[in-house]
Amino acid sequence: GNPRQVSFYKRERKQIVNNREITDWDWAPGHPMTKGFRTDAALVKTKLEEILEPTQGKTGSKIDRSKPRLFVLSVGVSRHRWNEYDLAYAAKDAETLAERFQSENGGLFGDVQVSVVTDDDATPKRIREELNWLKRSVTENDVAVVFFAGHGVRARRGLYFFTHMGDGDDIYNTCVNWDEVASVLSSSDASNILLLTDCCHAGAFSADRFVNQSDIAKALGEATNVSILASSDGDEPSVEMQTIQHGVFTHVLLNALAGQADADGDGFASWDEVCRNVVVEVPRLSNDLQHPKLLKSAKGSELLKLASIKTEEDGAAIVPAKAPAKSLRAVITKDATMHLGKGRTAVLKKGAVVDILKQIEGWALVRPVDPPSDQVGWIDRNTPAHRFE
């Protein structure tokens, strides 16, 4: 097999055989060996290093120990036990981002180890197991990336990530508390942990259960090795778009890693460059509905290189899609929440008349005209309304 720990007891006696120093070893108690077993001490040391620090990664490629290792835990939940909570692209976002980081195996990183947990596999038990895998695996020389895409929800005992088993009536037992995630990450030995959260998908929960992703940073307290980039600010929703087959946050993040973030032209995308690019590009693509925010930055993380930029021969970066525009007028037939940006909201009362200025997948940009208002904001396109040209 592949034992995780090997214990030897060294005898005091050494011998010189054929001009080489030979040391006698015994196995630890409970592992009997032939009395007088002898081996070359240097050989034993080499074999122990191979067992405890393998020279080959999961893919069989040779590990370059002069480079840091990268560990990636990528969690995304599109399909839920109760389909009213389903999302379109959270699972795909998790898979695609993990694949991008895996491509750096043997490049920027001596070894890349990835764990992807999506949909049916994303139970509370499995997510906790993979968090503990991450904690056990990393050392102070390693880098970790942790990505969560799905619903975030607020309950009496704090903030939760809504798993595949998630039940709005039993959040405590069917979801994972962010305090658990924070506890694992803050106690990890990794030199840098980059936490990417895309957990503000609106529409499935009432407004009092919306997650403010800034609160996730509070759970991590004084952890000095953790940086957090959240997909949106305040209670802004996370946008998914059919035209790009991704959430906007992940789409822009992939673009940044593919080259759009390389502001200094050195052929690499650093953490600082990626964050700056995402903060600018997501609002543009989401028509100002979504504003990512760097909630926490570990000391020295800004210079950390995350991706090497591919040449044209390797493949071009993803091209952002433009949202279609359409002009309509509608009468709101049930009170609705209008998102104004920067975490601000307003209530559209039943009977309000609005101009629909722009539509992006599940969202519509509207301006109230009766009663008149200077405010412009976004509403869920499933909001009950009678629409007319």
Side-chain angles (χ1 to χ4, degrees), residues 328-332 351-356 366 369 379 385-388:
L328 293 170
R329 179 161 287 190
V331 178
I332 304 299
V353 178
V354 298
D355 279 339
I356 300 175
V366 301
V369 294
I379 63 172
H386 172 68
R387 302 185 184 191
F388 51 92

Side-chain angles (χ1 to χ4, degrees), residues 230-245:
S231 63
S232 56
D233 189 19
D235 62 355
E236 292 175 345
S238 294
V239 179
E240 295 183 306
M241 294 176 62
Q242 185 177 4
T243 48
I244 57 177
Q245 297 286 296

Side-chain angles (χ1 to χ4, degrees), residues 127-356:
I127 292 172
R128 291 181 181 117
E129 287 174 350
E130 296 309 306
L131 284 167
N132 286 323
W133 159 78
L134 185 73
K135 180 180 177 180
R136 290 193 312 268
S137 301
V138 297
T139 71
E140 61 184 7
N141 298 317
D142 300 326
V143 176
V145 173
V146 180
F147 175 71
F148 279 92
H151 290 299
V153 62
R154 185 184 302 277
R156 184 169 58 87
R157 300 189 185 185
L159 306 180
Y160 290 81
F161 179 72
F162 206 75
T163 72
H164 170 74
M165 305 298 292
D167 185 339
D169 295 325
D170 189 17
I171 290 173
Y172 178 75
N173 292 309
T174 62
C175 301
V176 175
N177 194 301
W178 276 110
D179 285 343
E180 295 181 62
V181 179
S183 176
V184 171
L185 298 186
S186 61
S187 61
S188 167
D189 292 331
S191 59
N192 276 288
I193 300 175
L194 311 178
L195 176 60
L196 309 169
T197 62
D198 193 5
C199 301
C200 234
H201 295 278
F205 303 98
S206 58
D208 63 329
R209 287 196 165 182
F210 285 173
V211 166
N212 184 328
Q213 295 189 96
S214 297
D215 291 338
I216 297 173
K218 296 176 184 177
L220 281 157
E222 300 301 318
T224 58
N225 61 338
V226 180
S227 301
I228 307 174
L229 179 62
S231 63
S232 56
D233 189 19
D235 62 355
E236 292 175 345
S238 294
V239 179
E240 295 183 306
M241 294 176 62
Q242 185 177 4
T243 48
I244 57 177
Q245 297 286 296
H246 277 296
V248 170
F249 177 71
T250 301
H251 176 79
V252 172
L253 186 58
L254 290 168
N255 270 342
L257 294 170
Q260 288 191 6
D262 184 18
D264 60 8
D266 67 349
F268 299 97
S270 70
W271 170 246
D272 180 65
E273 288 175 323
V274 167
C275 291
R276 290 175 182 273
N277 182 266
V278 168
V279 166
V280 170
E281 291 300 319
V282 168
R284 184 192 63 78
L285 184 57
S286 68
N287 284 280
D288 217 32
L289 177 63
Q290 188 175 339
H291 299 80
K293 189 172 184 179
L294 182 61
L295 300 177
K296 184 178 175 65
S297 187
K299 185 177 180 180
S301 63
E302 63 276 3
L303 300 179
L304 178 65
K305 294 178 179 178
L306 292 181
S308 50
I309 306 307
K310 295 182 178 181
T311 63
E312 292 183 2
E313 291 76 13
D314 296 324
I318 306 167
V319 178
K322 294 185 178 180
K326 190 175 182 181
S327 179
L328 293 170
R329 179 161 287 190
V331 178
I332 304 299
T333 58
K334 185 178 179 181
D335 287 1
T337 299
M338 182 169 65
H339 297 269
L340 305 176
K342 298 294 184 183
R344 297 175 299 117
T345 60
V347 177
L348 286 175
K349 293 293 188 180
K350 178 181 177 181
V353 178
V354 298
D355 279 339
I356 300 175

